[in-house]
Structures are given as C-alpha cells and as structure tokens.
Amino acid sequence: MLQKWRIGSLLVDDGSRYIGIITDTDLSRKAVAKGLDPNTTTVLSCMSKSVVTIEDSEPLMEALRLMKKEGIRHLPVTEDGTIIGVLSVGDLLRACLLYTSDAADERSSVDLGGRRIIKKKTRIDVNRNRRRGREQRGQKDDSEAHKRTRATN
C-alpha cells in the first residue's frame, strides 16, 4: 500500500484503536535488511508499536522538535485526542520553503529554531550580481575558465 499510494507511513489499528505505525523505514530496517520474506512477514512484526502524536493546535516548530527528539519522520496529528492526519518531514520542509519564499524574500536566510536555512535563489542572485559588478568595472569574468580548470584537475 505504501508504494501504491506513494506514502511513507500507515497507521495500524486493531478495529477499535490505533496500535502502531508502519513506515517505509520500518520495512527496510526490520524486514528487508534482515532478509525476511515480504509475502509472509506480518505488519505487526515490523511496525513501531508506540504512536507519538501531536495536537493540531501546536506550532510546526514543536512538531519538528518532537520528530527530532523521537527520531521519527512521520507524526500523527490529533484533534481532541483523535488522529486526523499524519505530518511528514516532507510536509514540514514544504512549509519551511513556503515561509522562506513568502515571508522572507528580502533576507538571504531564515532562522528556524536556531538553524539557518540559506535560500538557494539568493546564492544564485549573489553570484549573478558579482558577475554584473565585474562587467561594470571592466573586469573579465573568469568563472568559465575557472570551471574548465577545475574540470581538468
């Protein structure tokens, strides 16, 4: 199902409540790496039995902190104690990218919980501005020559 739906995790229930979560990492580390037959290996034997959750009212930075602390890449989200979805590292990355592109266009980096995320676009703009400055000063742009020299070494 993970491959069919192109998702990284599934919550496991016993018919009345969630009893675990199985992720692509669980499958690769607990089944494939041990040489177990995927046709006969049960979900119960590979899943993570503790389900760490976060309430939907918590800030994204708290979700990121919790995922780092617990060493997980998929975090079920609850509303009043009921699971309503799963937040992935990819979801957090997309949120950070939206934040950095929308709210921080004028800055070259954004501070997210003590870590600085450098925007690639800004680095490209800086290099373009350096080349323009050289051209305006009449200096030769040696970036192509530098690239050829590095490629031959």
Side-chain angles (χ1 to χ4, degrees), residues 3 5 19 21 26 28 30 44-45 50 57-59 63 65 68 73 81-82 86 94 100 110 115 124 132 136 152:
Q3 187 175 15
W5 294 100
I19 59 170
I21 185 169
D26 290 330
S28 64
K30 296 175 183 175
L44 194 60
S45 66
S50 64
S57 59
E58 291 291 325
R65 186 199 63 73
K68 181 180 178 186
R73 297 182 308 128
T82 302
V86 176
R94 279 186 288 282
T100 59
V110 175
R115 298 215 176 197
I124 291 169
R132 285 182 188 154
Q136 289 172 354
T152 57

Side-chain angles (χ1 to χ4, degrees), residues 2 7-12 19-38 41-52 70-76 86:
L2 295 175
I7 55 176
S9 67
L10 285 171
L11 290 163
V12 181
I19 59 170
I21 185 169
I22 188 159
T23 67
D24 49 2
T25 303
D26 290 330
L27 292 173
S28 64
R29 291 183 181 168
K30 296 175 183 175
V32 176
K34 293 181 180 177
L36 300 176
D37 181 3
T41 304
T42 64
V43 170
L44 194 60
S45 66
C46 293
M47 73 178 191
S48 298
K49 290 172 181 62
S50 64
V51 180
V52 178
E70 298 293 329
I72 56 177
R73 297 182 308 128
H74 301 92
L75 182 63
V86 176

Side-chain angles (χ1 to χ4, degrees), residues 9-152:
S9 67
L10 285 171
L11 290 163
V12 181
D13 70 16
D14 65 359
S16 61
R17 62 185 177 90
Y18 292 110
I19 59 170
I21 185 169
I22 188 159
T23 67
D24 49 2
T25 303
D26 290 330
L27 292 173
S28 64
R29 291 183 181 168
K30 296 175 183 175
V32 176
K34 293 181 180 177
L36 300 176
D37 181 3
N39 295 318
T40 59
T41 304
T42 64
V43 170
L44 194 60
S45 66
C46 293
M47 73 178 191
S48 298
K49 290 172 181 62
S50 64
V51 180
V52 178
T53 64
I54 191 166
E55 207 38 47
D56 67 340
S57 59
E58 291 291 325
L60 285 177
M61 287 309 298
E62 180 59 23
L64 185 61
R65 186 199 63 73
L66 184 58
M67 291 169 89
K68 181 180 178 186
K69 177 184 169 206
E70 298 293 329
I72 56 177
R73 297 182 308 128
H74 301 92
L75 182 63
V77 178
T78 60
E79 182 177 47
D80 298 323
T82 302
I83 294 177
I84 59 171
V86 176
L87 185 65
S88 71
V89 171
D91 296 330
L92 287 173
L93 180 59
R94 279 186 288 282
C96 288
L97 290 174
L98 282 174
Y99 172 76
T100 59
S101 65
D102 290 345
D105 279 337
E106 299 303 314
R107 296 184 288 180
S108 62
S109 64
V110 175
D111 188 7
L112 294 173
R115 298 215 176 197
R116 307 247 347 137
I117 296 178
I118 307 298
K119 292 179 3 182
K120 191 172 187 178
K121 174 184 170 193
T122 304
R123 282 185 266 152
I124 291 169
D125 289 342
V126 167
N127 290 334
R128 185 180 307 129
N129 290 339
R130 284 182 187 157
R131 281 194 296 274
R132 285 182 188 154
R134 285 188 204 115
E135 290 168 3
Q136 289 172 354
R137 290 189 304 271
Q139 296 174 339
K140 183 179 177 185
D141 183 6
D142 62 349
S143 59
E144 288 302 316
H146 181 69
K147 288 178 191 173
R148 276 187 254 119
T149 304
R150 281 189 7 206
T152 57

